[in-house]
Amino acid sequence: MKPSTDPGAEILRATLFAARAHAGQARKGSAAEPYVNHVIEVASILATHGAPLPVILAGLLHDTVEDTEVTHADLVAAFGAEVAGLVAEATDDKDLPKETRKALQVSQAPKKSDGAKQLKLADKISNLLAIADSPPANWIHARRVEYVGWAGRVAAGLRGVNPALDAVFDATYRAAVAKLSAEEG
């Protein structure tokens, strides 16, 4: 099927692609919602705050290479090199230890393209919302606090491209910190 040039059709095509790729996967949170809800939320955050279409499409697809059988070549064939490149910039190397991947996210954030910075920031916003509202059952309070702090360190290197996203991150970060502080007290 030939891709459409209509932005709405492209967004729906990427949504369907992501839904099929993530079929059967659930988020780690206590709500155990379908994983595809996360990528839809990331794309919605991007679309609502003025990100360009390739970034919105990459938002829908950003976890496909990392968490499914989809390859970079599959994304290039289906959505083109620009979208696949944005996904590649947002993809962690799962062969590396978790702490190394986390450190790389912090150190590499300022070096990302403008599109990847917006994508990563929207991803962090979505993750902070989940950590505050529906954390994984096995995440003790201290782990949630550590995640929020780490997300703030990653976000520091992503700022300056999209002021609206920066403001949403700031508000989401403050709300997560306040909620965790209230739970502790």
Side-chain angles (χ1 to χ4, degrees), residues 29-136:
S30 56
E33 65 183 319
Y35 192 84
V36 73
N37 290 8
H38 165 64
V39 298
I40 292 169
E41 181 175 49
V42 169
S44 177
I45 291 165
L46 290 164
T48 301
H49 296 92
L53 180 61
V55 178
I56 296 166
L57 297 175
L60 287 162
L61 303 165
H62 78 274
D63 282 334
T64 56
V65 174
E66 190 172 317
D67 295 336
T68 77
E69 298 301 313
V70 172
T71 67
H72 178 75
D74 294 334
L75 291 181
V76 171
F79 298 98
E82 181 180 11
V83 171
L86 289 165
V87 171
E89 282 191 82
T91 299
D92 282 351
D93 181 351
K94 290 276 188 124
D95 291 334
L96 297 173
K98 180 180 175 182
E99 290 307 313
T100 302
R101 291 192 316 263
K102 288 178 73 174
L104 283 171
Q105 279 202 42
V106 173
S107 68
Q108 296 301 306
K111 301 172 186 170
K112 303 282 183 198
S113 69
D114 286 355
K117 285 180 178 181
Q118 292 176 82
L119 169 55
K120 293 290 287 182
L121 197 56
D123 184 40
K124 293 299 176 250
I125 292 165
S126 175
N127 289 341
L128 285 179
L129 291 168
I131 292 300
D133 296 335
S134 180

Side-chain angles (χ1 to χ4, degrees), residues 1 10-22 36 60-61:
M1 173 170 65
E10 282 300 286
I11 289 169
L12 289 172
R13 191 168 71 83
T15 304
L16 181 59
F17 187 99
R20 287 178 173 155
H22 292 291
V36 73
L60 287 162
L61 303 165

